[in-house]
Amino acid sequence: MKIVYSEEHRHHDPEHEFRRSENVPAFERAVRASVIETTLREKNFGTFIAPDEGGVPFTGVHDEAYLRFLRTVHARFQTEGSGQEPLPYCWPTTSRPRLPPQDLFGAIGFFAGDADTPIVAGTWKAAEAAARGASTAARKVARGEARAAFALTRPPGHHASRSTYSGYCFLNNAALACAQLQQEGFARVALLDIDYHHGNGSQAIFEATSDVLFVSIHADPDHAYPFYSGRADEVGHGEGRGFTVNLPLPPGTTWDPYRDALLRACEAIARFAPSALVVSIGLDIAVGDPLGTFELETDAFREIGALLRTLHLPTVFVLEGGYDIPTIGLNTFALLNSFAPDAQDDSPGAP
Ligand code: OKP
Ligand code: ZN
């Protein structure tokens, strides 16, 4: 298995965020990726590679005006704002115009999905590197250079839609991996999202298409962020109707009911018969995660990897959430190592 990793994620390392209106130490920190990197290296798992020069398939995933905003917002804030961190204070609610207003705070509210996704000076640099990492992982798998790859990237991506940043996410790395696989000739791709939080950005990007099946297992939005999407009756729109599958689970979910949901997810994927699979992995489904309530132990991550292996698909794993620093490395290893026990074997036939 190829592991795509670059130190550039460190450019985005915010110290604080808001939590239910309170300023608290940030959860989505650089140490998350470094602890996973260290664990996988200690276990001698996989082959580490850097992102390649192949670019990012932005078209079809993110809007031009949104990308321009992300590239420039922090610099604009230094002159047009207070010079600290850009935070939205108002949002379009009754309707969203086609284009953002010229005013900086009008634009921030236009593109922001929440008020606890800090933007620092290096955010664009880090987000762009993560997007390149996910695109690289997809290229390696598509070109048969590896049967599976892991984009060990942050900031995460699954809450970012075509033109909103939210939930620590700016560029939708998993969606970009899907787009890259499609560009390389894999017409039908399944995107499985097992982060604790519903991947509302990924769903929004693909809800009107039948080429990408989006399947998500997550905490019931009645009780968990992102609150306004992820219910079981959201099944896609138009041509994409039936190609979105949401499997919400109650707070406190343990392995047995989780496994049932994962089996259903795997059945939906097998029925779709894709030519490749992208998995958004969130380690925040682990017991003890500060932002989750599920109770999955390390054994469960092993079982998840083993179950995904039975799909026999070229697979791109993309890191999303997971905030319990002492366990995220081991749980990532548990999942990936049971998916690909012989991870040093990168030949196309190998898992
Ligand atoms: C991102 B990912 C703390 C409250 C929670 C949103 C959670 C984002 C999770 N400020 N904020 O899906 O792990
Ligand atoms: Zn999450």
Side-chain angles (χ1 to χ4, degrees):
M1 184 179 299
K2 296 266 194 278
I3 302 167
V4 187
Y5 180 73
S6 124
E7 293 285 330
E8 284 183 274
H9 72 85
R10 293 179 190 282
H11 292 296
H12 177 77
D13 196 15
E15 285 173 26
H16 301 284
E17 68 177 58
F18 283 100
R19 182 175 203 188
R20 299 181 180 258
S21 306
E22 234 188 299
N23 206 330
V24 299
F27 291 95
E28 207 292 287
R29 299 288 310 256
V31 61
R32 298 180 55 242
S34 36
V35 81
I36 296 173
E37 183 213 357
T38 305
T39 311
L40 295 180
R41 285 197 197 273
E42 270 169 16
K43 303 280 186 188
N44 204 15
F45 180 82
T47 314
F48 278 77
I49 59 167
D52 66 19
E53 296 302 313
V56 178
F58 281 124
T59 318
V61 175
H62 290 296
D63 286 347
E64 238 341 287
Y66 174 63
L67 296 173
R68 215 174 312 122
F69 167 82
L70 279 185
R71 272 191 214 104
T72 54
V73 58
H74 193 270
R76 278 183 74 186
F77 193 73
Q78 306 314 302
T79 53
E80 295 168 53
S82 74
Q84 293 168 16
E85 274 172 21
L87 274 181
Y89 74 89
C90 58
W91 280 272
T93 51
T94 49
S95 74
R96 193 185 193 217
R98 208 174 53 83
L99 291 171
Q102 297 214 357
D103 179 87
L104 175 62
F105 279 90
I108 292 172
F110 183 87
F111 291 117
D114 64 23
D116 56 4
T117 301
I119 293 178
V120 297
T123 296
W124 169 259
K125 232 175 160 175
E128 202 253 351
R132 265 189 292 123
S135 309
T136 300
R139 279 189 285 274
K140 293 296 167 196
V141 168
R143 296 176 189 175
E145 291 170 47
R147 175 75 174 166
F150 173 42
L152 173 37
T153 50
R154 58 167 291 282
H158 71 151
H159 298 302
S161 72
R162 262 174 220 292
S163 59
T164 51
Y165 70 96
S166 182
Y168 317 146
C169 301
F170 303 93
L171 299 174
N172 196 314
N173 308 314
L176 291 163
C178 292
Q180 186 64 51
L181 286 163
Q182 291 188 302
Q183 243 176 54
E184 304 277 332
F186 290 74
R188 289 153 64 82
V189 177
L191 170 51
L192 171 66
D193 190 325
I194 60 167
D195 187 276
Y196 177 80
H197 306 91
H198 179 244
N200 54 341
S202 305
Q203 172 170 307
I205 289 167
F206 296 122
E207 68 191 348
T209 172
S210 57
D211 304 332
V212 176
L213 174 74
F214 176 69
V215 185
S216 180
I217 306 171
H218 51 269
D220 186 337
D222 244 334
H223 304 282
Y225 184 91
F227 301 121
Y228 314 114
S229 79
R231 292 188 162 75
D233 65 358
E234 295 162 25
V235 296
H237 296 303
E239 198 187 292
R241 203 180 156 77
F243 296 91
T244 291
V245 178
N246 281 304
L247 301 165
L249 295 171
T253 290
T254 55
W255 171 241
D256 276 355
Y258 193 94
R259 185 188 46 220
D260 292 344
L262 187 59
L263 286 170
R264 286 180 58 192
C266 287
E267 277 163 28
I269 293 166
R271 216 175 312 123
F272 180 66
S275 34
L277 173 68
V278 174
V279 188
S280 274
I281 51 174
L283 293 314
D284 46 8
I285 52 178
V287 62
D289 190 279
L291 293 184
T293 67
F294 288 177
E295 300 194 358
L296 305 196
E297 312 274 353
T298 299
D299 261 344
F301 287 87
R302 241 171 249 131
E303 304 250 14
I304 292 170
L307 269 171
L308 297 181
R309 182 184 168 84
T310 66
L311 290 169
H312 299 293
L313 286 166
T315 302
V316 179
F317 293 94
V318 179
L319 180 64
E320 303 288 356
Y323 307 94
D324 184 42
I325 303 305
T327 60
I328 51 177
L330 284 172
N331 288 340
T332 304
F333 172 71
L335 192 161
L336 296 180
N337 187 51
S338 71
F339 180 88
D342 199 0
Q344 303 309 339
D345 183 359
D346 279 332
S347 61

